[in-house]
Amino acid sequence: MNLIIVIKRKEHALRCPYRTRARVMGEVEEVQEQVKADTEALKEQMATIMEAMMSIKEIMEVNAVAIAATNTIVEVDLTPP
């Protein structure tokens, strides 16, 4: 039983002989940098989306005022002289 465990440990050690702690840390740092870049891109996209939503809100408010004015004019026009 102990012999099998020793062999498994050796196989595990030989599986990635060139993988060093520094290389793994380098890969972690690369992933962290990519996450930072992705986060910044998302922030920019969110800002653009918020600007678009605010523009749509302003357009809807202008349209609501125009519709209210049109309804008022129509009501005045519909009254008999």
Side-chain angles (χ1 to χ4, degrees):
M1 187 73 175
N2 289 340
L3 179 62
I4 295 172
I5 292 173
V6 171
I7 291 172
K8 285 185 178 180
R9 286 184 183 166
K10 285 184 179 180
E11 287 174 1
H12 178 68
L14 295 175
R15 194 177 331 160
C16 303
Y18 302 109
R19 196 169 188 90
T20 63
R21 184 174 183 93
R23 183 172 176 188
V24 170
M25 291 304 293
E27 291 173 1
V28 168
E29 290 172 357
E30 287 177 20
V31 170
Q32 288 175 339
E33 290 299 319
Q34 187 61 46
V35 168
K36 282 183 184 178
D38 291 346
T39 302
E40 288 301 317
L42 284 173
K43 285 181 182 178
E44 291 174 10
Q45 289 177 356
M46 291 286 286
T48 303
I49 290 170
M50 289 300 292
E51 289 175 12
M53 289 175 66
M54 293 302 289
S55 295
I56 291 171
K57 181 181 175 185
E58 290 175 8
I59 291 169
M60 289 174 64
E61 289 172 352
V62 168
N63 286 344
V65 170
I67 289 170
T70 303
N71 287 343
T72 304
I73 293 170
V74 170
E75 289 175 9
V76 172
D77 288 342
L78 293 178
T79 56

